[in-house]
Amino acid sequence: MGKGPAGRSEHIDPINPAAAHDAIPAVDPRLLVREQGLAGYVNEFGRKLKAGDLGSVPVVLGLIIIWSIFQGLNSNFLGPENLTNIAITMTATGMMAVGIIFVLLLGEIDLSVGSVSGVSGAIVAVLAVTHGVNEWLAMAAAIAGGALIGSLHGFFFAKIGAPAFAVTLSGLLFWSGAMLQILGSNGTINLDSDGVVGQLTTYFFSDVAVGYGLAALAVLGYFAATFFDARRREAAGVPSRPVGEIVLRTGLLAVFTFGPAIVFNQYKGLPLAVVLFLLALVATDFVLRRTTFGRQVFALGGSVEASRRAGINVNRVRITVFAIAGTFAAIGGLFWASKIAAANQSAGAGDLLMNVIAAAVIGGTSLFGGRGRTWNALLGVMVITSIQYGLALEGIATPIQYMITGAVLLATVVIDSITRKTQKTAGRA
């Protein structure tokens, strides 16, 4: 294989080397896009849309429309206080959605995350309040319990061969009963609002320098990582991002980091809950995109048999994925317990499971497996929580809220199905 100008590669026939001069050079499409500059990216974006590769475009447009409608109905909707409340409330569901995304990437489902979150809140309340255990230890025990529960579900699914739907549906019932048993006859245990768990959703970094400093750190960190990665790729002779594109991407990131920082600092400051949620997103995104395990998860979502033949330990990956889902369900349960400053019998019930799955799917994760990112949890939960808060501000009844949220979820699933069909037609699936 020889290389021509501009990174083009030519196939050399080992039998007839002279044929190489008449061969059509193979050009890396990413390189062509970058050579064409802005016009190349516009054309590439149009090509992806025609091929059904919509990415996050529908949910971003949907979020803009939702915010515009509710701001028109109530001028307080996009106010600093309401946006801060939305940001804090969405962290519990968002944490749980991060875990469910790993399961959805396999093309499976976990119906137990709501009840597992309830068990987590019950464990931390009983240990910390009833038995006087240190809150940090109680939280660690609750999160470890979630991981253990998820591993158990994964074992029955991966090793025994029971359908994930049936296993986690059984888990939904079993762990709901376990939560009631742990809480006891009283049914409600109040938490110290000034304790570690209580401050998960009530603590704010009131110093404006913290919000702006973290935003600046994120922007500079992204620029440095992208710039040096581009230089490394350039030195290796593979396609890399031009400096102009890196600067443009960094500028867009600055808008989406300093904007929220300005809003938060106009109210009480940067919420601790938001910081923890963003850290979870960054960490899990790194795992999925930059590690062998992450690539194995995507591979299983594409084809289990092909992954097995490629040497991937399918059972290990499946069990680990369900353990991750259980872990984040437990973390979400701690945030819900913090939000209401208590652990009670209604924890994990109601529309929580629906909202978690809806957040992942609306954000762009495919129900059919193999496509999605943990950042989808952020977009999806912003849509769900924005709808809930907007309807609440207008005094819309809860049944109507359920109907509207369900309609949004259905529309997302339909778009996902149409996208997959379009991709198959275009030869991209």
Side-chain angles (χ1 to χ4, degrees):
M1 185 76 70
K3 289 189 176 181
R8 294 173 174 81
S9 58
E10 300 176 351
H11 176 72
I12 300 178
D13 190 337
I15 299 178
N16 183 16
H21 297 287
D22 300 324
I24 299 175
V27 183
D28 191 321
R30 295 173 300 175
L31 186 58
L32 283 179
V33 169
R34 288 165 182 163
E35 283 180 347
Q36 296 169 6
L38 180 60
Y41 283 100
V42 172
N43 293 334
E44 175 70 3
F45 180 72
R47 184 189 64 80
K48 287 184 176 181
L49 290 182
K50 290 179 180 179
D53 190 0
L54 301 178
S56 299
V57 173
V59 66
V60 171
L61 292 178
L63 188 61
I64 292 174
I65 293 173
I66 290 170
W67 282 8
S68 299
I69 292 175
F70 285 127
Q71 178 65 14
L73 294 174
N74 191 319
S75 59
N76 293 323
F77 180 78
L78 292 180
E81 180 178 357
N82 192 59
L83 288 179
T84 299
N85 290 333
I86 289 175
I88 294 174
T89 300
M90 73 182 192
T91 54
T93 304
M95 285 289 193
M96 298 171 67
V98 169
I100 206 84
I101 284 174
F102 279 82
V103 178
L104 292 177
L105 286 174
L106 296 183
E108 302 296 340
I109 193 68
D110 188 343
L111 301 177
S112 68
V113 291
S115 57
V116 173
S117 71
V119 169
S120 169
I123 290 175
V124 76
V126 168
L127 289 179
V129 178
T130 306
H131 298 289
V133 176
N134 179 275
E135 277 197 82
W136 288 103
L137 293 178
M139 291 172 60
I143 295 173
L148 182 61
I149 291 172
S151 299
L152 184 63
H153 293 164
F155 172 81
F156 282 108
F157 168 55
K159 292 288 189 179
I160 307 301
F165 178 89
V167 171
T168 56
L169 178 59
S170 301
L172 183 155
L173 299 173
F174 183 89
W175 301 114
S176 294
M179 177 191 68
L180 298 179
Q181 185 67 27
I182 294 172
L183 289 175
S185 57
N186 186 35
T188 300
I189 300 177
N190 294 323
L191 296 171
D192 181 7
S193 59
D194 294 325
V196 178
V197 177
Q199 291 193 3
L200 286 176
T201 56
T202 60
Y203 184 84
F204 294 83
F205 296 98
S206 57
D207 190 343
V208 297
V210 176
Y212 295 137
L214 288 178
L217 182 63
V219 172
L220 293 176
Y222 173 81
F223 177 81
T226 308
F227 179 80
F228 287 114
D229 179 67
R231 298 287 77 78
R232 178 180 60 83
R233 294 174 65 87
E234 183 179 350
V238 295
S240 60
R241 300 187 190 279
V243 176
E245 180 186 344
I246 295 175
V247 172
L248 177 60
R249 287 173 174 265
T250 304
L252 291 175
L253 178 62
V255 172
F256 289 110
T257 52
F258 281 95
I262 293 173
V263 172
F264 291 142
N265 283 333
Q266 289 179 355
Y267 183 51
K268 292 183 178 180
L270 179 64
L272 172 64
V274 173
V275 175
L276 296 177
F277 182 35
L278 293 177
L279 288 175
L281 290 174
V282 171
T284 52
D285 181 69
F286 177 83
V287 169
L288 279 179
R289 296 198 304 120
R290 300 291 186 179
T291 67
T292 301
F293 172 76
R295 289 189 287 271
Q296 290 175 344
V297 171
F298 281 107
L300 259 66
S303 173
V304 175
E305 186 57 32
S307 300
R308 185 178 286 111
R309 292 183 179 182
I312 296 176
N313 190 329
V314 174
N315 290 339
R316 179 183 62 82
V317 173
R318 283 174 165 175
I319 293 174
T320 303
V321 163
F322 275 89
I324 291 172
T327 299
F328 277 96
I331 294 173
L334 296 180
F335 276 85
W336 276 120
S338 174
K339 181 68 176 176
I340 63 176
N344 57 38
Q345 295 177 341
S346 64
D351 62 344
L352 178 58
L353 173 62
M354 179 196 73
N355 286 339
V356 170
I357 297 176
V361 176
I362 290 173
T365 303
S366 175
L367 280 170
F368 302 97
R371 191 179 79 241
R373 296 178 60 183
T374 52
W375 286 98
N376 296 148
L378 174 61
L379 291 172
V381 77
M382 285 177 67
V383 171
I384 294 292
T385 312
S386 295
I387 291 175
Q388 292 174 339
Y389 266 75
L391 294 176
L393 284 176
E394 295 304 309
I396 305 297
T398 300
I400 304 300
Q401 295 184 28
Y402 285 176
M403 294 168 64
I404 293 177
T405 304
V408 172
L409 176 59
L410 176 61
T412 305
V413 174
V414 170
I415 292 174
D416 183 33
S417 300
I418 295 175
T419 297
R420 290 182 65 86
K421 290 181 180 179
T422 305
Q423 289 178 335
K424 287 182 179 179
T425 303
R428 293 176 60 85

